[in-house]
Amino acid sequence: MTDTSLIRNFSIIAHIDHGKSTLSDRLIQLCGNVSLREMKEQMLDSMEIERERGITIKAQTVRLDYTHTDGKTYQLNLMDTPGHVDFAYEVSRSLAACEGAILVVDASQGVEAQTLANVYQALDSDLEILPVLNKVDLPAADEDRVKEQIEDVIGLDASDAIGVSAKTGLNVDAVLSAIVDRLPPPKEGDATKPLKAMLVDSWYDAYLGVIVLVRIIDGRLKRGQKIKMLGSGGLYQIERVGIFRPKQTIIEELGPGEIGFFTAAIKEVADTRVGDTITDEKNTTVQQLPGFKPAQPVVFCGLFPVDAADFEDLRDAMGRLRLNDASFSFEAESSAALGFGFRCGFLGLLHLEIITERLEREFNLDLITTAPSVVYNLHMTDGSVIELHNPADMPETVKIEHIEEPWIEATILVPDEYLGAVLKLCQDRRGRQKQLTYVGTRAMLQYELPLNEVVFDFYDRLKSVSRGYASFDYQIKGYEQNDLVKLTVLVNEEPVDALSMIVHRTRAESRGRAMCEKLKTLIRPHLFKIPIQAAIGGKVIARETISALRKDVIAKCYGGDITRKRKLLDKQKAGKKKMREFGKVEIPQEAFIAALKMDEN
Amino acid sequence: MDPGTFSGEKAAALAELGVTRASVGVQSLDDEQLQRCGRKHTAQEAKEAIRLLRSVGLENISADLLSGLPQQSEEQLVSDLHELVAWGVDHLSVYDLQYEPGTAFGRRWPVAGETGRPGEAAAAALYETTHWELEKLGFEHYEVSNYARFTQTLLQGPEGGAAGGVSSRSQHNQIYWHGAPYAAYGNGAASFVHSIRASRPRSLESYCRWVEAGGPLEGLELDTSQRDSRADALCETTMLRLRTMEGLTLQAEDGETERCLQAIFGALEPWQEAKLASASFADGSLATPYQYLHNPEEGPAAEQRGKRGQGEQMRAG
C-alpha cells in the first residue's frame, strides 16, 4: 500500500492513429517493466480485432514504477480507455478512476473530432489535462499551429505542451516527469474506513474466470475478503488481488488511490456492472458512487444464420461472446422470411460491426444481418409507453399517440472544399446545424441528427463525399417526437418483414423508391411478373415490376451437350439452397443484405 | 457441313460413302449479317451447297439458322425461312443464339438489349415468329429448336410423327432425346453405349493421336451417372423428353419411382399455374402432352411458349 501522494492515476486520450498505443508502449518501456519484444505486441491491446483496427475496446491498466528526479518512486497507473464513442459510458468510468489525462495530438494532423469528444469527457470529469504533441519528428509537424488549435478549439492552455515522438522515443521521459509534477495525486482516502471501490471494467479470462478492474477509494482489498456489489447485488469472496505490469502480478492488497484487479469466482461478466460500487459484504453505510448507469444498447439488428441448421451454433457463439461483453444483448426472434435468429442490441455501430465480424470470423458462421434500427418510444393512446426494437412489431397506427426517436449531437471536421457536400448530406438526413466554425483550414460542424439516419451508412457516405478526410464523432442527446411511419415492403403483394423499417414521413418516398429499385435488381425473373411495392399503411408510395421470364432454355442439346447441361442443372440445384421461398417468389439471401445497404443519391 | 468450304467433289465423295442426309450450316441468308458474325460464306454459297447436294442425289437436307443475331430483324428471319423452304429444305434447326461469356460473341455483345444484341423479349419474339411461320409452311415443331416438314397423307407414315402423315424428323437427333444408344466419330464427339456417355478428345490433334493409339479407354471422358443412378437417369430422361413435342410419359414401376414422378409433377406446378404446361399424374402415370399454349389473359401479342415451359428448369431429384 502506497502513500496517496506518490500515486498518479491517469489516462491517455487521443484520436485514432495519433499514437496513443505507441506512447503507452514507450512509457511502459521506460519504466523498465517489459522487454522490447513484448513491447512489439502492444500488450495493452489484447484482442485481434482491436489490433487490426488499431483501436482499444477494453479498458485495461498498467502499473508503472517511476523514479523521479526528486529521488522518490512513484506509482503511475496508466488507464487505457476505449477510444470510440460507442463506449462512452465505459470511457467515463475509466476517467472517473483517474485524476489526470494526457491529451495526445498528432502534431501534423492537429485536433480531430474524436479528440474533442474525449477531451470534453475528460474535462467533464474534472481531470487535469496534460497536452502532448506527438510525431513532432515528421516534416509536416507544426507544433505552434497545433498548440494554438488546442487553445482555440478546446480552450486549454497548451503553452507547456510537450513535444514528443513516441515512435522514436524522443522526449518521452519529459512526459513521465510532467505526470508527476503536473498531474494531481488521488484525493486522500482513508485505509481504515470500510471498503469503497469503483468497478472500472471486467472481462473473462480463460484461466482465471472473470477479472474485475477496480479503483480503491477508501479501505483495503485483500484475499479472502467478503464483498458485495451495490448495483448488481452480487456477493463474492476475493480469491486473488493483483496488478498489471502489464503482465498479471499477484499482490497482497490494494489501498486507497490504487488501481488493480481481483478475481472472486464470478461466473459471468454479465454479473458485473461497469461503474458499480464495491464494499464489504456486511457494510450498510457506503452509498452507490455517482455516475453509475446500467448498460444501454442503442442500436439493434436482427442476426439470422444463412443455413437454418446453424441456429444452435449461432446461439452458442453469442453466449460465448457475451462472456466478455456484458453490453451486448440478444434474444431469440423469428421472421417469416429469414427463419429463426436473434434480435441483438449494441452500444453503437462499431460495436455491431465488431460483434458480427467476430461471429463470422471466430465462429465461422454465415450470417444475414437485417438493417440496423434504433429504439423508438411509442406513446400509446391508452397512456402507456412502449419501446419498439423491431419495426415489424409496430402496432397499428390508430393505437399510437405519437412516436419519439433518439437524436445525436455530432461533431464533424472536414476540409473546406468538401464542406458543401457534407452540409448537403447532413441536411438530407434531417440534420439541424448548431454551429459552424473553422479550425485552421478545416470546418468544424456541430450538427444534431436523428440516430436512425446515422445508422444507415451515414459514416460511409460522409467518408465518400469528403474523400476520406472528414472525421465524425457523436453523443446521444435524447428523444424527440417526430412524424415517423412504418415503411413496409411487399414482394408479389406479400409484406416482407425483414425489410420493414421506421422512417420519417418526408424520407419515406425516397427510401421506398430506392428499396424497390434495389430489389428489382436482386430478384431474378420468375414465370409471372412480380410487383415490388413500398407502402405506408395501406398506401403504396413506390413500385417497380419485374417482368416475367421470357426464355429459359438451352437451344442445342445433342450428344456431349447433355453432360454439360446436367452439370449446369446441378449447379442450379446448389444455388437453390441459398434461396428463400417467399410465397411464390424466390429471394436469394444476399438480396436481404444488399437491399438494406442501399446508397441513395 | 460448312457451306463455305464445300464443293462438288466433296458432295460426290459423301454420296459415294453412302451418306443419305446432310445438315447445312447456313446460319443466315443475309450476307452482311454473315460477315458481322465472322462467317466465311455467303447466302449464294449456301444455296449452291444445297444444289450440289441435290445434284448427287442427296435429297434429305436440313439447314441450321440462328435467331437472335445482333441487329437481326424479324423480316430478315421470316424471309430466310421462306427462302430455305422454297429451296426444298425439309428440316430446319433454328437456334436461339446463346451469347456465352468467354466466346467471341459473348465478348463483343456482353449485355442483352445493348449494342445491337436483342434483349430477352426481342429474342423470345423471334423464336415465336419462327414457330408460327414454319407452322404456316407445314412444319411441325417437334423439339425446342427443330422443325420438320410434315405432309398430311391418308396412310400411316413409317418414320413416325402424328398418325396420318409423313414427317422429315431427324432420326439421328431423336435418338438423343429418347435416350437410345449411339456411336460417335470425330473430335469432341460423344457416344452413348451401355448408358455411358463417352466423349472423344476435343482437339483434332489429340483426337488423331487417340485414334492412332487404338482408341484407348483412358482417352475418353466418361459420364456414368446414367448407369450408376436411377435418379440421375430419370432426371436426364425428363430433361430430354420435355424438349420434344410428345413430352414425357412415364409409368412408375415401384414406390420409389412413383415418388420421383410425384416430385416431377410437383416441379411442373409453377408452369401449370402460369399456363405454360399441362401435366397429369394418376395411378403412377405421369404425362405431359405437348400443347403450344396461348394464355388469353396476357393479351393477343404475348403468346406463351409451351416448349419453354416444358424446358430445362427441373428440380426433380
Side-chain angles (χ1 to χ4, degrees):
Chain A
M1 221 182 61
T2 313
D3 187 337
T4 328
S5 66
L6 295 175
I7 300 176
R8 300 290 184 273
N9 297 322
F10 66 98
S11 190
I12 303 183
I13 46 189
H15 189 81
I16 289 176
D17 286 346
H18 280 205
K20 177 167 76 140
S21 288
T22 323
L23 182 62
S24 308
D25 292 348
R26 283 276 166 242
L27 293 175
I28 297 171
Q29 204 184 354
L30 276 179
C31 293
N33 292 125
V34 190
S35 75
L36 195 58
R37 183 184 56 82
E38 283 162 322
M39 267 325 20
K40 290 215 168 89
E41 286 164 6
Q42 290 196 16
M43 290 193 72
L44 285 180
D45 280 25
S46 54
M47 287 204 277
E48 191 193 310
I49 288 176
E50 287 180 354
R51 215 176 282 140
E52 270 180 11
R53 289 190 184 220
I55 54 182
T56 316
I57 299 169
K58 293 254 125 214
Q60 289 190 47
T61 185
V62 180
R63 181 184 288 195
L64 310 172
D65 293 327
Y66 170 62
T67 308
H68 191 43
T69 47
D70 63 7
K72 300 196 206 148
T73 300
Y74 288 80
Q75 181 191 115
L76 305 185
N77 292 311
L78 163 57
M79 289 288 292
D80 202 12
T81 55
H84 195 272
V85 64
D86 279 10
F87 307 101
Y89 175 65
E90 277 75 2
V91 172
S92 79
R93 293 308 87 206
S94 300
L95 293 178
C98 306
E99 289 73 45
I102 300 178
L103 170 65
V104 178
V105 182
D106 183 324
S108 62
Q109 300 276 8
V111 172
E112 302 277 3
Q114 198 177 48
T115 318
L116 288 177
N118 293 341
V119 166
Y120 291 147
Q121 268 198 304
L123 289 170
D124 286 346
S125 304
D126 266 334
L127 298 185
E128 183 68 36
I129 306 197
L130 179 63
V132 167
L133 302 181
N134 192 17
K135 309 194 195 178
V136 294
D137 55 333
L138 287 182
D142 187 345
E143 286 183 66
D144 289 327
R145 180 180 66 89
V146 177
K147 279 190 199 172
E148 223 179 279
Q149 225 183 38
I150 294 174
E151 290 181 358
D152 289 340
V153 177
I154 304 176
L156 210 61
D157 180 5
S159 49
D160 288 329
I162 304 173
V164 305
S165 166
K167 198 152 89 143
T168 64
L170 169 70
N171 214 16
V172 177
D173 48 338
V175 175
L176 281 169
S177 218
I179 290 171
V180 172
D181 291 334
R182 289 158 61 177
L183 295 183
K187 247 200 330 245
E188 188 89 40
D190 191 342
T192 59
K193 277 183 151 159
L195 173 66
K196 181 160 147 183
M198 178 173 72
L199 197 159
V200 181
D201 202 359
S202 69
W203 60 90
Y204 190 83
D205 180 274
Y207 298 110
L208 299 178
V210 176
I211 298 184
V212 179
L213 195 65
V214 279
R215 156 79 150 86
I216 314 291
I217 296 159
D218 289 322
R220 306 160 193 244
L221 187 73
K222 55 172 153 216
R223 194 165 82 114
Q225 201 166 343
K226 292 208 174 114
I227 57 157
K228 82 173 159 213
M229 305 204 192
L230 291 183
S232 69
L235 297 173
Y236 304 96
Q237 184 165 33
I238 305 288
E239 280 179 344
R240 259 180 231 90
V241 175
I243 54 174
F244 297 99
R245 280 192 176 282
K247 281 221 185 75
Q248 293 165 2
T249 312
I250 307 296
I251 60 172
E252 269 300 313
E253 66 175 25
L254 287 165
E258 295 185 315
I259 300 178
F261 75 86
F262 70 83
T263 63
I266 300 170
K267 287 228 189 60
E268 289 188 352
V269 149
D271 293 336
T272 66
R273 307 270 159 81
V274 169
D276 205 350
T277 307
I278 300 174
T279 185
D280 295 312
E281 186 190 38
K282 298 262 163 52
N283 181 266
T284 48
T285 58
V286 169
Q287 296 287 300
Q288 178 66 266
L289 288 162
F292 169 64
K293 267 194 310 191
Q296 188 74 271
V298 149
V299 165
F300 287 79
C301 76
L303 280 181
F304 294 83
V306 164
D307 187 348
D310 283 344
F311 177 77
E312 293 295 338
D313 290 339
L314 177 59
R315 201 210 346 240
D316 288 340
M318 289 196 176
R320 303 250 292 273
L321 280 185
R322 199 168 147 67
L323 277 182
N324 225 350
D325 187 349
S327 56
F328 160 54
S329 63
F330 60 93
E331 58 185 20
E333 168 172 273
S334 79
S335 146
L338 302 169
F340 289 102
F342 296 92
R343 179 131 291 258
C344 306
F346 306 91
L347 298 178
L349 272 184
L350 178 67
H351 194 201
L352 184 159
E353 278 170 31
I354 288 172
I355 298 283
T356 48
E357 216 179 285
R358 289 187 70 187
L359 285 169
E360 298 208 309
R361 200 163 3 144
E362 281 173 42
F363 299 93
N364 220 3
L365 293 162
D366 267 328
L367 297 176
I368 298 177
T369 321
T370 66
S373 64
V374 303
V375 183
Y376 297 90
N377 287 341
L378 307 180
H379 291 249
M380 312 300 283
T381 47
D382 68 1
S384 61
V385 181
I386 305 180
E387 271 187 14
L388 181 69
H389 291 205
N390 184 351
D393 293 338
M394 179 144 143
E396 308 150 31
T397 34
V398 283
K399 295 205 182 130
I400 305 177
E401 225 278 318
H402 70 264
I403 306 179
E404 288 173 353
E405 57 171 349
W407 276 68
I408 59 166
E409 241 162 36
T411 307
I412 300 173
L413 275 158
V414 61
D416 194 40
E417 60 248 53
Y418 306 110
L419 179 60
V422 171
L423 282 172
K424 177 158 194 316
L425 175 65
C426 293
Q427 279 154 25
D428 282 347
R429 303 287 176 118
R430 298 196 279 136
R432 294 191 296 245
Q433 190 174 321
K434 297 266 71 158
Q435 204 179 76
L436 171 58
T437 52
Y438 275 83
V439 180
T441 55
R442 280 185 303 167
M444 181 166 89
L445 271 171
Q446 245 126 26
Y447 242 89
E448 282 172 356
L449 289 153
L451 183 60
N452 74 354
E453 299 286 347
V454 167
V455 295
F456 248 136
D457 82 346
F458 176 81
Y459 187 66
D460 291 341
R461 294 286 306 141
L462 179 67
K463 284 294 196 184
S464 165
V465 305
S466 67
R467 302 269 207 88
Y469 287 110
S471 66
F472 170 68
D473 215 25
Y474 69 89
Q475 290 207 63
I476 306 292
K477 179 174 172 282
Y479 274 77
E480 284 183 27
Q481 178 178 348
N482 254 302
D483 192 4
L484 298 158
V485 294
K486 176 176 166 187
L487 184 68
T488 325
V489 176
L490 300 111
V491 172
N492 207 28
E493 300 183 347
E494 293 282 335
V496 182
D497 280 347
L499 298 171
S500 40
M501 55 184 111
I502 310 281
V503 294
H504 193 264
R505 195 180 292 273
T506 57
R507 304 276 283 138
E509 197 185 315
S510 66
R511 276 274 164 81
R513 206 175 308 126
M515 175 68 84
C516 290
E517 282 168 8
K518 200 72 199 274
L519 281 174
K520 184 172 174 174
T521 64
L522 296 166
I523 300 175
R524 59 164 190 79
H526 285 48
L527 290 174
F528 43 90
K529 66 178 185 222
I530 305 174
I532 306 205
Q533 298 154 309
I536 301 175
K539 179 158 175 270
V540 172
I541 56 165
R543 69 156 27 210
E544 291 285 338
T545 310
I546 300 179
S547 314
L549 198 58
R550 297 303 303 275
K551 62 184 189 99
D552 190 5
V553 68
I554 288 192
K556 280 192 194 184
C557 202
Y558 310 113
D561 297 322
I562 299 175
T563 306
R564 277 192 289 281
K565 173 69 177 142
R566 289 289 308 281
K567 290 192 178 146
L568 193 68
L569 282 180
D570 284 339
K571 239 175 48 180
Q572 275 181 1
K573 201 164 80 174
K576 288 219 184 279
K577 291 212 179 108
K578 296 230 158 163
M579 294 279 194
R580 297 280 182 150
E581 281 281 339
F582 208 67
K584 291 201 282 174
V585 178
E586 277 181 350
I587 305 182
Q589 306 285 14
E590 307 86 62
F592 287 100
I593 315 168
L596 297 163
K597 271 195 186 163
M598 318 171 291
D599 37 28
E600 311 125 55
N601 226 342
Chain B
M1 51 60 161
D2 173 17
T5 56
F6 204 53
S7 66
E9 290 78 30
K10 280 197 184 154
L14 286 171
E16 225 174 312
L17 277 172
V19 170
T20 57
R21 183 177 182 275
S23 173
V24 184
V26 177
Q27 318 311 351
S28 168
L29 290 177
D30 178 333
D31 285 342
E32 242 183 79
Q33 185 68 264
L34 285 165
Q35 248 197 343
R36 213 182 294 130
C37 300
R39 295 290 166 167
K40 305 255 171 40
H41 66 271
T42 61
Q44 186 56 38
E45 284 170 320
K47 188 171 181 185
E48 178 64 10
I50 292 173
R51 190 193 67 76
L52 284 171
L53 288 165
R54 281 252 152 66
S55 72
V56 297
L58 253 160
E59 296 284 341
N60 198 345
I61 300 172
S62 171
D64 280 3
L65 273 183
L66 291 174
S67 74
L69 283 161
Q71 274 139 29
Q72 184 179 36
S73 70
E74 190 178 305
E75 292 74 36
Q76 181 66 47
L77 178 61
V78 170
S79 145
D80 287 1
L81 293 170
H82 282 261
E83 220 175 322
L84 284 166
V85 172
W87 293 347
V89 165
D90 289 327
H91 184 281
L92 285 158
S93 297
V94 187
Y95 301 112
D96 171 47
L97 180 59
Q98 322 272 269
Y99 294 74
E100 301 284 6
T103 64
F105 268 87
R107 277 191 291 273
R108 191 150 158 221
W109 293 281
V111 185
E114 286 179 26
T115 62
R117 172 177 162 181
E120 204 201 28
L126 288 170
Y127 182 89
E128 288 174 5
T129 302
T130 306
H131 169 90
W132 293 116
E133 283 305 314
L134 289 176
E135 195 179 81
K136 277 192 274 179
L137 290 167
F139 281 66
E140 54 171 10
H141 190 177
Y142 72 99
E143 191 264 0
V144 170
S145 302
N146 286 275
Y147 300 82
R149 194 193 290 273
F150 179 75
T151 325
Q152 206 83 31
T153 64
L154 297 171
L155 305 165
Q156 282 271 4
E159 282 137 358
V166 173
S167 174
S168 305
R169 293 193 190 188
S170 164
Q171 302 211 345
H172 170 247
N173 289 342
Q174 284 184 100
I175 286 186
Y176 296 128
W177 307 315
H178 291 124
Y182 47 89
Y185 302 92
N187 53 312
S191 59
F192 187 62
V193 179
H194 295 311
S195 298
I196 300 175
R197 199 154 29 244
S199 297
R200 279 108 191 94
R202 246 167 273 264
S203 79
L204 189 56
E205 285 159 35
S206 47
Y207 177 69
C208 292
R209 268 184 272 126
W210 179 75
V211 169
E212 270 151 37
L217 192 61
E218 308 86 63
L220 293 171
E221 204 180 293
L222 299 180
D223 169 17
T224 57
S225 57
Q226 282 242 79
R227 185 191 65 180
D228 295 340
S229 156
R230 283 219 292 179
D232 271 347
L234 183 58
C235 181
E236 195 162 299
T237 303
T238 309
M239 177 181 106
L240 295 172
R241 293 291 181 84
L242 288 179
R243 294 182 67 91
T244 68
M245 198 168 89
E246 283 73 33
L248 188 65
T249 308
L250 295 171
Q251 177 72 47
E253 60 187 22
D254 58 32
E256 188 195 334
T257 27
E258 180 155 356
R259 277 189 293 280
C260 286
L261 296 187
Q262 181 90 60
I264 299 172
F265 181 67
L268 284 168
E269 264 186 72
W271 278 271
Q272 292 210 281
E273 267 177 49
K275 301 209 174 63
L276 294 173
S278 95
S280 67
F281 181 56
D283 299 325
S285 175
L286 174 70
T288 64
Y290 163 63
Q291 293 173 56
Y292 198 74
L293 298 162
H294 301 236
N295 185 344
E297 288 147 42
E298 289 287 301
E303 286 153 352
Q304 295 305 317
R305 297 146 296 286
K307 279 286 184 204
R308 237 168 266 112
Q310 290 172 343
E312 316 299 338
Q313 291 293 313
M314 290 308 299
R315 283 176 249 187

